[in-house]
Amino acid sequence: MGEGMGEATFLALQTVGVAFVLMAAISALCAGIISAIVAVLARSQRKKVAPPPDFAMPVQDDRAAVVAAITAAVHVMLPRHRIIHLGAAQSGQDWARESRTRHHASHAPRR
């Protein structure tokens, strides 16, 4: 009885091993076939993709409209004055220069 049990166990293990190797080989073959099908389908369905549309609004230069609005407001409020120049304010150098000019002029002898 001991010898028969060992032989049956060996035969069962051998059958399990063969079944495992056979299932592993079939699984690898199926995986290869599936990846080949996916590659073929990907190549056949590849289309040229159009670039996405540009949704950004075009930049508008509103400086002329701002200048016109400021000019109209000054003309309404101060009709006897006229605007000579509209531009970006500088870093306070004009005020300093005007102050120095007035200070130096105050020391000048009067004629």
Side-chain angles (χ1 to χ4, degrees):
M1 207 167 156
E3 214 176 296
M5 278 287 250
E7 193 175 321
T9 305
F10 178 72
L11 187 59
L13 288 176
Q14 187 180 13
T15 304
V16 168
V18 169
F20 178 78
V21 170
L22 188 59
M23 282 189 279
I26 291 172
S27 296
L29 182 65
C30 287
I33 291 172
I34 290 172
S35 69
I37 290 172
V38 167
V40 168
L41 288 176
R43 281 193 199 127
S44 68
Q45 294 179 354
R46 194 177 293 170
K47 296 179 182 176
K48 290 185 178 180
V49 179
D54 189 18
F55 291 111
M57 296 297 293
V59 178
Q60 295 178 344
D61 188 10
D62 295 333
R63 288 183 284 187
V66 171
V67 169
I70 292 172
T71 305
V74 169
H75 181 70
V76 168
M77 297 304 291
L78 307 170
R80 293 183 312 188
H81 292 79
R82 66 184 181 129
I83 296 175
I84 296 174
H85 174 72
L86 286 178
Q90 295 181 359
S91 62
Q93 294 175 1
D94 289 339
W95 291 102
R97 187 178 316 124
E98 178 68 23
S99 297
R100 276 195 301 274
T101 302
R102 287 186 182 193
H103 178 75
H104 291 302
S106 69
H107 298 297
R110 300 193 190 261
R111 292 186 191 186

